[in-house]
Amino acid sequence: CMSLRKSTKEQLPGVTTGIMGEKEAKAYPEKEGSKKAGYIIGALIIVMMVVLYPGNSDMFTSGPKGPPEDLSAVTWNMAAINNNPFEYWITNDDPKYGQLMEDVSEFINNPGDKDVPVSAVFTPAMFEELCTAMTAAGFKDVDQVKTRWETEYKDRKIISEFIKDGTLGKKRLASMPDRYTNTIITADIPARTVTRPTVINCYDDDLGSVEKWWQAWKKFVFETEVVVKDRKGEVGSKKIKDMFSPIKNSKYPAITVEEEAISIPLQTMCGAIFDAILVHMMTVLAPDSWQGLRTGMCDKLNRKKNHRTVEILETTYKDADIQFLQEVAATFIDAAGARPLVTTHFDLHYPLAIDKDRNQNSLILLKKGMFTDVEEVTAKVIQKDAEAAAAAGKEAAPLSNGDLFVVFATRVKDNAKFILASFHGDTNGLATIPVVTAVKNFAMAEASDRYMLFGMDANTYETPSKDQQGVTPFASWYTSEKMNSCYGPTPNPKNYTTFHARTYLQPQLNKAIKYSEKDVKGDKNPKDFIVFWDKDYIVRSTTKDNTGAGVYTEGMVFPTLAFPSDHGITWTSLALKPAVDLGKPTSLAIDFARRAERRLVAVACALWLCEDEVARAARRGRTVSRHACTQHGAQYSFFKTFEA
């Protein structure tokens, strides 16, 4: 690089004049010491870049000479509040937790003589009491359920033939009643939280024995009345027993037509057996500690989850300009509204069509005083996509209320206009490209003068199955559409933002994983992105966080008691991509850069030349605006404006 300052004749065939004329060179003579220092520093820079970061142009987008930050943004799928604190393996410093969960795994996988008949846990006397209660409640065909108890259920082994029975799982006979009754948020004002007596939620009272559980369970199902909203949106009072719905053969083919006809009393019985087995197992394995462990986990992961998530956002990420949030519970809005997160740091914006039942809403928080003229355009995006889909004879992007939130906003300091979007994808990520397409097309048609910034839980996978969205194809797609992301045009498939695995203490045992298998079978994938137009921004730096302290611990399953989400936080700092204003010295530098074999060598050489020429131009009293060196998409600007 230093030799090129004198002449480019040898390095650049066809160029007959030096970078500087002889007259100018004499006017700014180089000292021998600085020349030697230049050789050493230049060589070190190039060697470091090639050895440490070969081919990774993004490494030049941060550092002390990096371009100034235009804005910073955070995206975080906060994950809906999990009512079952035992559902996922968590990182917990209490050794009793690890021991309990390992014992549960062993109990399920190698029960031995603990695999007793169902009737030894859910006793014949309990079954008779259940039948009496179901008959009094008006359930039909209770006699048929009695017959099935005698012939199909009472003699089943509790683990190998009930808990681990795959067919029973496919029939949803235990998981369906759990779905409707595990945890109920009432429609009272104020709302109440009502929980079924079971191991797998945050039930408050004592479940120290199967007998105590049974008395509480009967009362809950057949006597407890709650105020709830039905599917039509009408509010009314219901007993828990009336919340069970038939299990349809048309939707779940594993259940027979005969079982469908008696599915309400049949699932009530199976739900009772399932809960009884869980209580029995816990009292066998950890009678003195399991309830205390659950209480502590419920406080961190459930009851105080909103408190902790707000705390993270208003401390670690209070300096971000934009916060994109997904899977947000409606209760978070009230919790945040009373805290410095909203009273001091951010303006909170949420969809007009917010879904208060699913609690999977996308929100956008904007730094106070930074933006004005905020207008929601979600409905316009959806409408335009639906019209385009209809015209093409295709289906519109699949969305539920709250999944997508799109706004226009104007930045106060420079009147720059933005279109901002937050999106929560489906589990397999198949809706991600259609939804990003919808927003992209709307932005091109209706907001071409706006910067686009899109925070999302894309739910992309390192090694996708046939029905999952791969991260590499997703990146190939967005780059082909002239977009880039906080992780660049070719994100590392192993740069994970999720790492969780289901335990055996949840109804879908087909998804359960041993702790020792979490690294192989766990959900460890790169799922979270911030996407923008490639013409607008370059990435200065991007970081991940699964601790709430701005640090990502690789290889750690989460949520943890300090980090109550199964998605990590992604933070990025962006700089405006410069409009290139080339002078002769810069042109020659770029010409050399294009001939170099490695991106970083090219950029390093170009920078060395350009920076020297900018300094000389300044001393000559010239103004240099928006200098840039470019090679194969690797871009660098060390001044947006440099004046003498």
Side-chain angles (χ1 to χ4, degrees), residues 483-512:
M483 291 181 284
N484 199 355
S485 85
C486 58
Y487 292 115
T490 55
N492 181 356
K494 294 186 178 298
N495 189 19
Y496 308 126
T497 60
T498 63
F499 186 13
H500 61 263
R502 291 180 191 265
T503 73
Y504 286 90
L505 285 177
Q506 43 85 28
Q508 301 182 63
L509 287 183
N510 58 310
K511 297 181 179 180

PDB file of all heavy atoms in Angstrom, residues 483-512:
ATOM      1  N   MET A 483     -32.472  -6.562  -0.302  1.00  0.00           N
ATOM      2  CA  MET A 483     -32.501  -6.291   1.132  1.00  0.00           C
ATOM      3  C   MET A 483     -31.255  -6.878   1.778  1.00  0.00           C
ATOM      4  O   MET A 483     -30.561  -7.707   1.197  1.00  0.00           O
ATOM      5  CB  MET A 483     -33.765  -6.871   1.769  1.00  0.00           C
ATOM      6  CG  MET A 483     -35.044  -6.161   1.364  1.00  0.00           C
ATOM      7  SD  MET A 483     -36.531  -6.851   2.154  1.00  0.00           S
ATOM      8  CE  MET A 483     -36.752  -8.351   1.205  1.00  0.00           C
ATOM      9  N   ASN A 484     -30.990  -6.453   2.986  1.00  0.00           N
ATOM     10  CA  ASN A 484     -29.895  -6.982   3.781  1.00  0.00           C
ATOM     11  C   ASN A 484     -30.426  -7.178   5.202  1.00  0.00           C
ATOM     12  O   ASN A 484     -31.552  -6.773   5.510  1.00  0.00           O
ATOM     13  CB  ASN A 484     -28.698  -6.033   3.764  1.00  0.00           C
ATOM     14  CG  ASN A 484     -27.405  -6.713   4.182  1.00  0.00           C
ATOM     15  OD1 ASN A 484     -27.390  -7.875   4.582  1.00  0.00           O
ATOM     16  ND2 ASN A 484     -26.297  -5.980   4.106  1.00  0.00           N
ATOM     17  N   SER A 485     -29.618  -7.761   6.067  1.00  0.00           N
ATOM     18  CA  SER A 485     -30.059  -7.967   7.449  1.00  0.00           C
ATOM     19  C   SER A 485     -28.944  -7.604   8.409  1.00  0.00           C
ATOM     20  O   SER A 485     -27.790  -7.405   8.013  1.00  0.00           O
ATOM     21  CB  SER A 485     -30.488  -9.421   7.674  1.00  0.00           C
ATOM     22  OG  SER A 485     -29.368 -10.231   7.984  1.00  0.00           O
ATOM     23  N   CYS A 486     -29.294  -7.564   9.683  1.00  0.00           N
ATOM     24  CA  CYS A 486     -28.309  -7.259  10.726  1.00  0.00           C
ATOM     25  C   CYS A 486     -27.198  -8.291  10.773  1.00  0.00           C
ATOM     26  O   CYS A 486     -26.120  -8.027  11.315  1.00  0.00           O
ATOM     27  CB  CYS A 486     -29.004  -7.164  12.083  1.00  0.00           C
ATOM     28  SG  CYS A 486     -29.899  -8.664  12.544  1.00  0.00           S
ATOM     29  N   TYR A 487     -27.433  -9.486  10.203  1.00  0.00           N
ATOM     30  CA  TYR A 487     -26.405 -10.529  10.156  1.00  0.00           C
ATOM     31  C   TYR A 487     -25.784 -10.646   8.765  1.00  0.00           C
ATOM     32  O   TYR A 487     -25.099 -11.619   8.472  1.00  0.00           O
ATOM     33  CB  TYR A 487     -26.990 -11.872  10.595  1.00  0.00           C
ATOM     34  CG  TYR A 487     -27.344 -11.896  12.058  1.00  0.00           C
ATOM     35  CD1 TYR A 487     -28.670 -12.023  12.474  1.00  0.00           C
ATOM     36  CD2 TYR A 487     -26.372 -11.767  13.041  1.00  0.00           C
ATOM     37  CE1 TYR A 487     -28.998 -12.027  13.825  1.00  0.00           C
ATOM     38  CE2 TYR A 487     -26.693 -11.770  14.389  1.00  0.00           C
ATOM     39  CZ  TYR A 487     -28.011 -11.906  14.777  1.00  0.00           C
ATOM     40  OH  TYR A 487     -28.339 -11.913  16.108  1.00  0.00           O
ATOM     41  N   GLY A 488     -26.043  -9.655   7.920  1.00  0.00           N
ATOM     42  CA  GLY A 488     -25.411  -9.607   6.617  1.00  0.00           C
ATOM     43  C   GLY A 488     -26.127 -10.427   5.566  1.00  0.00           C
ATOM     44  O   GLY A 488     -27.137 -11.088   5.826  1.00  0.00           O
ATOM     45  N   PRO A 489     -25.589 -10.408   4.344  1.00  0.00           N
ATOM     46  CA  PRO A 489     -26.242 -11.123   3.243  1.00  0.00           C
ATOM     47  C   PRO A 489     -26.101 -12.637   3.326  1.00  0.00           C
ATOM     48  O   PRO A 489     -26.868 -13.358   2.701  1.00  0.00           O
ATOM     49  CB  PRO A 489     -25.520 -10.565   2.001  1.00  0.00           C
ATOM     50  CG  PRO A 489     -24.192 -10.113   2.499  1.00  0.00           C
ATOM     51  CD  PRO A 489     -24.416  -9.627   3.898  1.00  0.00           C
ATOM     52  N   THR A 490     -25.123 -13.113   4.085  1.00  0.00           N
ATOM     53  CA  THR A 490     -24.932 -14.565   4.233  1.00  0.00           C
ATOM     54  C   THR A 490     -24.774 -14.912   5.710  1.00  0.00           C
ATOM     55  O   THR A 490     -23.670 -15.183   6.187  1.00  0.00           O
ATOM     56  CB  THR A 490     -23.686 -15.038   3.452  1.00  0.00           C
ATOM     57  OG1 THR A 490     -22.546 -14.261   3.889  1.00  0.00           O
ATOM     58  CG2 THR A 490     -23.869 -14.870   1.960  1.00  0.00           C
ATOM     59  N   PRO A 491     -25.850 -14.885   6.475  1.00  0.00           N
ATOM     60  CA  PRO A 491     -25.762 -15.155   7.911  1.00  0.00           C
ATOM     61  C   PRO A 491     -25.250 -16.562   8.188  1.00  0.00           C
ATOM     62  O   PRO A 491     -25.556 -17.509   7.456  1.00  0.00           O
ATOM     63  CB  PRO A 491     -27.206 -14.983   8.394  1.00  0.00           C
ATOM     64  CG  PRO A 491     -28.052 -15.147   7.176  1.00  0.00           C
ATOM     65  CD  PRO A 491     -27.235 -14.627   6.036  1.00  0.00           C
ATOM     66  N   ASN A 492     -24.478 -16.674   9.241  1.00  0.00           N
ATOM     67  CA  ASN A 492     -23.953 -17.963   9.662  1.00  0.00           C
ATOM     68  C   ASN A 492     -25.092 -18.827  10.193  1.00  0.00           C
ATOM     69  O   ASN A 492     -25.736 -18.460  11.174  1.00  0.00           O
ATOM     70  CB  ASN A 492     -22.898 -17.735  10.748  1.00  0.00           C
ATOM     71  CG  ASN A 492     -22.268 -19.036  11.234  1.00  0.00           C
ATOM     72  OD1 ASN A 492     -22.659 -20.128  10.832  1.00  0.00           O
ATOM     73  ND2 ASN A 492     -21.301 -18.917  12.115  1.00  0.00           N
ATOM     74  N   PRO A 493     -25.363 -19.983   9.594  1.00  0.00           N
ATOM     75  CA  PRO A 493     -26.470 -20.832  10.068  1.00  0.00           C
ATOM     76  C   PRO A 493     -26.308 -21.308  11.509  1.00  0.00           C
ATOM     77  O   PRO A 493     -27.280 -21.727  12.134  1.00  0.00           O
ATOM     78  CB  PRO A 493     -26.449 -22.024   9.097  1.00  0.00           C
ATOM     79  CG  PRO A 493     -25.745 -21.522   7.889  1.00  0.00           C
ATOM     80  CD  PRO A 493     -24.724 -20.552   8.397  1.00  0.00           C
ATOM     81  N   LYS A 494     -25.084 -21.241  12.031  1.00  0.00           N
ATOM     82  CA  LYS A 494     -24.834 -21.671  13.405  1.00  0.00           C
ATOM     83  C   LYS A 494     -24.830 -20.502  14.388  1.00  0.00           C
ATOM     84  O   LYS A 494     -24.492 -20.681  15.564  1.00  0.00           O
ATOM     85  CB  LYS A 494     -23.513 -22.434  13.492  1.00  0.00           C
ATOM     86  CG  LYS A 494     -23.533 -23.762  12.745  1.00  0.00           C
ATOM     87  CD  LYS A 494     -22.259 -24.541  12.988  1.00  0.00           C
ATOM     88  CE  LYS A 494     -22.307 -25.888  12.278  1.00  0.00           C
ATOM     89  NZ  LYS A 494     -23.411 -26.761  12.782  1.00  0.00           N
ATOM     90  N   ASN A 495     -25.198 -19.336  13.916  1.00  0.00           N
ATOM     91  CA  ASN A 495     -25.283 -18.170  14.795  1.00  0.00           C
ATOM     92  C   ASN A 495     -26.674 -18.160  15.432  1.00  0.00           C
ATOM     93  O   ASN A 495     -27.558 -17.396  15.050  1.00  0.00           O
ATOM     94  CB  ASN A 495     -25.033 -16.895  13.997  1.00  0.00           C
ATOM     95  CG  ASN A 495     -24.882 -15.686  14.890  1.00  0.00           C
ATOM     96  OD1 ASN A 495     -24.624 -15.805  16.083  1.00  0.00           O
ATOM     97  ND2 ASN A 495     -25.068 -14.512  14.312  1.00  0.00           N
ATOM     98  N   TYR A 496     -26.859 -19.008  16.437  1.00  0.00           N
ATOM     99  CA  TYR A 496     -28.184 -19.297  16.978  1.00  0.00           C
ATOM    100  C   TYR A 496     -28.722 -18.148  17.838  1.00  0.00           C
ATOM    101  O   TYR A 496     -27.972 -17.476  18.546  1.00  0.00           O
ATOM    102  CB  TYR A 496     -28.148 -20.565  17.830  1.00  0.00           C
ATOM    103  CG  TYR A 496     -27.524 -21.751  17.138  1.00  0.00           C
ATOM    104  CD1 TYR A 496     -26.473 -22.460  17.724  1.00  0.00           C
ATOM    105  CD2 TYR A 496     -27.978 -22.166  15.886  1.00  0.00           C
ATOM    106  CE1 TYR A 496     -25.897 -23.547  17.092  1.00  0.00           C
ATOM    107  CE2 TYR A 496     -27.402 -23.258  15.249  1.00  0.00           C
ATOM    108  CZ  TYR A 496     -26.362 -23.946  15.847  1.00  0.00           C
ATOM    109  OH  TYR A 496     -25.791 -25.020  15.221  1.00  0.00           O
ATOM    110  N   THR A 497     -30.030 -17.975  17.773  1.00  0.00           N
ATOM    111  CA  THR A 497     -30.703 -17.029  18.679  1.00  0.00           C
ATOM    112  C   THR A 497     -31.760 -17.729  19.525  1.00  0.00           C
ATOM    113  O   THR A 497     -32.454 -17.074  20.303  1.00  0.00           O
ATOM    114  CB  THR A 497     -31.356 -15.872  17.897  1.00  0.00           C
ATOM    115  OG1 THR A 497     -32.329 -16.399  16.973  1.00  0.00           O
ATOM    116  CG2 THR A 497     -30.317 -15.074  17.126  1.00  0.00           C
ATOM    117  N   THR A 498     -31.894 -19.036  19.360  1.00  0.00           N
ATOM    118  CA  THR A 498     -32.757 -19.834  20.235  1.00  0.00           C
ATOM    119  C   THR A 498     -32.020 -21.104  20.630  1.00  0.00           C
ATOM    120  O   THR A 498     -31.197 -21.616  19.872  1.00  0.00           O
ATOM    121  CB  THR A 498     -34.085 -20.245  19.561  1.00  0.00           C
ATOM    122  OG1 THR A 498     -33.797 -21.094  18.434  1.00  0.00           O
ATOM    123  CG2 THR A 498     -34.867 -19.039  19.091  1.00  0.00           C
ATOM    124  N   PHE A 499     -32.330 -21.601  21.808  1.00  0.00           N
ATOM    125  CA  PHE A 499     -31.826 -22.911  22.238  1.00  0.00           C
ATOM    126  C   PHE A 499     -32.719 -23.398  23.376  1.00  0.00           C
ATOM    127  O   PHE A 499     -32.530 -23.030  24.525  1.00  0.00           O
ATOM    128  CB  PHE A 499     -30.377 -22.824  22.690  1.00  0.00           C
ATOM    129  CG  PHE A 499     -29.751 -24.171  23.005  1.00  0.00           C
ATOM    130  CD1 PHE A 499     -30.362 -25.364  22.645  1.00  0.00           C
ATOM    131  CD2 PHE A 499     -28.536 -24.242  23.674  1.00  0.00           C
ATOM    132  CE1 PHE A 499     -29.802 -26.587  22.929  1.00  0.00           C
ATOM    133  CE2 PHE A 499     -27.951 -25.464  23.973  1.00  0.00           C
ATOM    134  CZ  PHE A 499     -28.584 -26.637  23.595  1.00  0.00           C
ATOM    135  N   HIS A 500     -33.716 -24.186  23.023  1.00  0.00           N
ATOM    136  CA  HIS A 500     -34.580 -24.737  24.059  1.00  0.00           C
ATOM    137  C   HIS A 500     -34.984 -26.160  23.705  1.00  0.00           C
ATOM    138  O   HIS A 500     -34.878 -26.589  22.556  1.00  0.00           O
ATOM    139  CB  HIS A 500     -35.828 -23.861  24.273  1.00  0.00           C
ATOM    140  CG  HIS A 500     -36.698 -23.746  23.058  1.00  0.00           C
ATOM    141  ND1 HIS A 500     -36.624 -22.685  22.191  1.00  0.00           N
ATOM    142  CD2 HIS A 500     -37.679 -24.557  22.572  1.00  0.00           C
ATOM    143  CE1 HIS A 500     -37.504 -22.837  21.223  1.00  0.00           C
ATOM    144  NE2 HIS A 500     -38.154 -23.966  21.423  1.00  0.00           N
ATOM    145  N   ALA A 501     -35.430 -26.878  24.722  1.00  0.00           N
ATOM    146  CA  ALA A 501     -35.824 -28.271  24.560  1.00  0.00           C
ATOM    147  C   ALA A 501     -36.921 -28.592  25.561  1.00  0.00           C
ATOM    148  O   ALA A 501     -36.858 -28.179  26.723  1.00  0.00           O
ATOM    149  CB  ALA A 501     -34.619 -29.186  24.782  1.00  0.00           C
ATOM    150  N   ARG A 502     -37.918 -29.323  25.120  1.00  0.00           N
ATOM    151  CA  ARG A 502     -39.030 -29.694  25.995  1.00  0.00           C
ATOM    152  C   ARG A 502     -38.630 -30.818  26.947  1.00  0.00           C
ATOM    153  O   ARG A 502     -37.892 -31.722  26.580  1.00  0.00           O
ATOM    154  CB  ARG A 502     -40.248 -30.130  25.174  1.00  0.00           C
ATOM    155  CG  ARG A 502     -40.919 -29.015  24.391  1.00  0.00           C
ATOM    156  CD  ARG A 502     -42.115 -29.565  23.628  1.00  0.00           C
ATOM    157  NE  ARG A 502     -42.638 -28.609  22.684  1.00  0.00           N
ATOM    158  CZ  ARG A 502     -43.660 -27.785  22.934  1.00  0.00           C
ATOM    159  NH1 ARG A 502     -44.242 -27.817  24.112  1.00  0.00           N
ATOM    160  NH2 ARG A 502     -44.081 -26.944  22.012  1.00  0.00           N
ATOM    161  N   THR A 503     -39.183 -30.752  28.149  1.00  0.00           N
ATOM    162  CA  THR A 503     -38.979 -31.799  29.145  1.00  0.00           C
ATOM    163  C   THR A 503     -40.100 -32.833  29.031  1.00  0.00           C
ATOM    164  O   THR A 503     -40.938 -32.770  28.127  1.00  0.00           O
ATOM    165  CB  THR A 503     -38.990 -31.204  30.560  1.00  0.00           C
ATOM    166  OG1 THR A 503     -40.337 -30.837  30.901  1.00  0.00           O
ATOM    167  CG2 THR A 503     -38.091 -29.986  30.658  1.00  0.00           C
ATOM    168  N   TYR A 504     -40.142 -33.748  29.999  1.00  0.00           N
ATOM    169  CA  TYR A 504     -41.208 -34.751  30.032  1.00  0.00           C
ATOM    170  C   TYR A 504     -42.390 -34.300  30.884  1.00  0.00           C
ATOM    171  O   TYR A 504     -43.369 -35.045  31.019  1.00  0.00           O
ATOM    172  CB  TYR A 504     -40.655 -36.079  30.562  1.00  0.00           C
ATOM    173  CG  TYR A 504     -39.783 -36.785  29.550  1.00  0.00           C
ATOM    174  CD1 TYR A 504     -38.417 -36.540  29.495  1.00  0.00           C
ATOM    175  CD2 TYR A 504     -40.328 -37.665  28.625  1.00  0.00           C
ATOM    176  CE1 TYR A 504     -37.605 -37.171  28.564  1.00  0.00           C
ATOM    177  CE2 TYR A 504     -39.534 -38.306  27.686  1.00  0.00           C
ATOM    178  CZ  TYR A 504     -38.175 -38.041  27.656  1.00  0.00           C
ATOM    179  OH  TYR A 504     -37.386 -38.662  26.716  1.00  0.00           O
ATOM    180  N   LEU A 505     -42.329 -33.091  31.424  1.00  0.00           N
ATOM    181  CA  LEU A 505     -43.446 -32.603  32.237  1.00  0.00           C
ATOM    182  C   LEU A 505     -44.321 -31.668  31.417  1.00  0.00           C
ATOM    183  O   LEU A 505     -44.471 -30.487  31.701  1.00  0.00           O
ATOM    184  CB  LEU A 505     -42.914 -31.893  33.491  1.00  0.00           C
ATOM    185  CG  LEU A 505     -42.377 -32.820  34.579  1.00  0.00           C
ATOM    186  CD1 LEU A 505     -41.815 -32.019  35.742  1.00  0.00           C
ATOM    187  CD2 LEU A 505     -43.479 -33.756  35.079  1.00  0.00           C
ATOM    188  N   GLN A 506     -44.903 -32.207  30.356  1.00  0.00           N
ATOM    189  CA  GLN A 506     -45.840 -31.487  29.504  1.00  0.00           C
ATOM    190  C   GLN A 506     -46.605 -32.534  28.697  1.00  0.00           C
ATOM    191  O   GLN A 506     -46.144 -33.670  28.559  1.00  0.00           O
ATOM    192  CB  GLN A 506     -45.115 -30.468  28.622  1.00  0.00           C
ATOM    193  CG  GLN A 506     -43.827 -30.927  27.973  1.00  0.00           C
ATOM    194  CD  GLN A 506     -44.045 -31.662  26.658  1.00  0.00           C
ATOM    195  OE1 GLN A 506     -45.019 -31.434  25.962  1.00  0.00           O
ATOM    196  NE2 GLN A 506     -43.146 -32.576  26.335  1.00  0.00           N
ATOM    197  N   PRO A 507     -47.782 -32.191  28.174  1.00  0.00           N
ATOM    198  CA  PRO A 507     -48.664 -33.203  27.587  1.00  0.00           C
ATOM    199  C   PRO A 507     -48.178 -33.820  26.282  1.00  0.00           C
ATOM    200  O   PRO A 507     -48.591 -34.914  25.933  1.00  0.00           O
ATOM    201  CB  PRO A 507     -49.982 -32.436  27.349  1.00  0.00           C
ATOM    202  CG  PRO A 507     -49.891 -31.206  28.178  1.00  0.00           C
ATOM    203  CD  PRO A 507     -48.447 -30.877  28.252  1.00  0.00           C
ATOM    204  N   GLN A 508     -47.297 -33.134  25.526  1.00  0.00           N
ATOM    205  CA  GLN A 508     -46.870 -33.648  24.226  1.00  0.00           C
ATOM    206  C   GLN A 508     -45.523 -34.362  24.363  1.00  0.00           C
ATOM    207  O   GLN A 508     -44.483 -33.840  23.983  1.00  0.00           O
ATOM    208  CB  GLN A 508     -46.782 -32.499  23.219  1.00  0.00           C
ATOM    209  CG  GLN A 508     -48.102 -31.768  23.032  1.00  0.00           C
ATOM    210  CD  GLN A 508     -48.009 -30.666  22.005  1.00  0.00           C
ATOM    211  OE1 GLN A 508     -47.760 -30.923  20.835  1.00  0.00           O
ATOM    212  NE2 GLN A 508     -48.205 -29.435  22.442  1.00  0.00           N
ATOM    213  N   LEU A 509     -45.581 -35.579  24.881  1.00  0.00           N
ATOM    214  CA  LEU A 509     -44.349 -36.301  25.172  1.00  0.00           C
ATOM    215  C   LEU A 509     -43.585 -36.700  23.919  1.00  0.00           C
ATOM    216  O   LEU A 509     -42.387 -36.991  23.985  1.00  0.00           O
ATOM    217  CB  LEU A 509     -44.652 -37.545  25.998  1.00  0.00           C
ATOM    218  CG  LEU A 509     -45.031 -37.286  27.461  1.00  0.00           C
ATOM    219  CD1 LEU A 509     -45.226 -38.599  28.190  1.00  0.00           C
ATOM    220  CD2 LEU A 509     -43.974 -36.448  28.161  1.00  0.00           C
ATOM    221  N   ASN A 510     -44.247 -36.695  22.768  1.00  0.00           N
ATOM    222  CA  ASN A 510     -43.534 -36.984  21.532  1.00  0.00           C
ATOM    223  C   ASN A 510     -42.500 -35.903  21.225  1.00  0.00           C
ATOM    224  O   ASN A 510     -41.586 -36.107  20.424  1.00  0.00           O
ATOM    225  CB  ASN A 510     -44.519 -37.108  20.364  1.00  0.00           C
ATOM    226  CG  ASN A 510     -45.347 -35.854  20.162  1.00  0.00           C
ATOM    227  OD1 ASN A 510     -45.932 -35.342  21.114  1.00  0.00           O
ATOM    228  ND2 ASN A 510     -45.420 -35.355  18.943  1.00  0.00           N
ATOM    229  N   LYS A 511     -42.609 -34.727  21.875  1.00  0.00           N
ATOM    230  CA  LYS A 511     -41.655 -33.635  21.677  1.00  0.00           C
ATOM    231  C   LYS A 511     -40.636 -33.534  22.814  1.00  0.00           C
ATOM    232  O   LYS A 511     -39.789 -32.643  22.816  1.00  0.00           O
ATOM    233  CB  LYS A 511     -42.399 -32.303  21.548  1.00  0.00           C
ATOM    234  CG  LYS A 511     -43.322 -32.245  20.338  1.00  0.00           C
ATOM    235  CD  LYS A 511     -44.019 -30.894  20.245  1.00  0.00           C
ATOM    236  CE  LYS A 511     -44.925 -30.833  19.023  1.00  0.00           C
ATOM    237  NZ  LYS A 511     -45.605 -29.510  18.917  1.00  0.00           N
ATOM    238  N   ALA A 512     -40.731 -34.438  23.791  1.00  0.00           N
ATOM    239  CA  ALA A 512     -39.830 -34.375  24.947  1.00  0.00           C
ATOM    240  C   ALA A 512     -38.429 -34.844  24.575  1.00  0.00           C
ATOM    241  O   ALA A 512     -38.243 -35.711  23.718  1.00  0.00           O
ATOM    242  CB  ALA A 512     -40.385 -35.223  26.085  1.00  0.00           C
TER     243      ALA A 512
END
